[in-house]
Amino acid sequence: MGRIIQDQNGSGGDFAPTALLKEKGAMLKGVLLGKRDVKTQFGDKPVYSFKVLDASCKFTKGKEDFQPEEGSTVDAFAPTRLARQLSQVAEGETVTITYAGTKKVGRGNPAHMFTVEVA
């Protein structure tokens, strides 16, 4: 029997539970641990890692719903506007992200809007 070699890029990488921030009432409060870029079908997208302090958003792990415990690490894919806001937050700072809905901004699809507060 031969050995099996796993596909390193097949699943897109290892992710912590992912916060679903683009839903009504979504809020995530946590300590920013870091940022990395992940290749997607739409190009490189930023993924931020947080240590959870409080949350009212849903989370998924793989394709299943998941509820992380306080203090655990979660990831969040940041849409363009949120990525611009989070670029001003330093690692180690406590941040609260609240989904504010969508807003029409010219042509194309409405933009997802977020309130980002650094404590």
Side-chain angles (χ1 to χ4, degrees):
M1 176 123 197
R3 61 187 172 126
I4 297 175
I5 299 172
Q6 299 296 324
D7 181 3
Q8 297 300 317
N9 284 331
S11 65
D14 294 326
F15 288 95
T18 303
L20 304 178
L21 295 174
K22 296 189 293 186
E23 296 181 348
K24 185 177 180 179
M27 183 276 296
L28 173 63
K29 180 178 182 179
V31 177
L32 180 63
L33 299 176
K35 172 198 167 214
R36 67 186 188 280
D37 287 327
V38 174
K39 292 183 190 285
T40 70
Q41 66 185 16
F42 305 108
D44 288 351
K45 297 293 180 187
V47 175
Y48 291 84
S49 295
F50 297 92
K51 178 180 175 185
V52 176
L53 300 176
D54 189 20
S56 65
C57 60
K58 294 179 183 176
F59 295 88
T60 60
K61 185 165 183 156
K63 294 185 180 189
E64 304 292 320
D65 287 342
F66 184 82
Q67 190 57 46
E69 296 178 11
E70 185 176 320
S72 61
T73 301
V74 298
D75 287 337
F77 282 86
T80 303
R81 288 179 173 260
L82 179 58
R84 279 190 226 141
Q85 291 169 292
L86 290 175
S87 69
Q88 300 174 49
V89 178
E91 287 183 20
E93 288 188 307
T94 300
V95 63
T96 303
I97 302 166
T98 307
Y99 183 63
T102 58
K103 178 180 178 183
K104 187 76 174 158
V105 288
R107 296 183 185 182
N109 294 328
H112 292 281
M113 307 299 286
F114 299 87
T115 303
V116 176
E117 181 181 341
V118 178

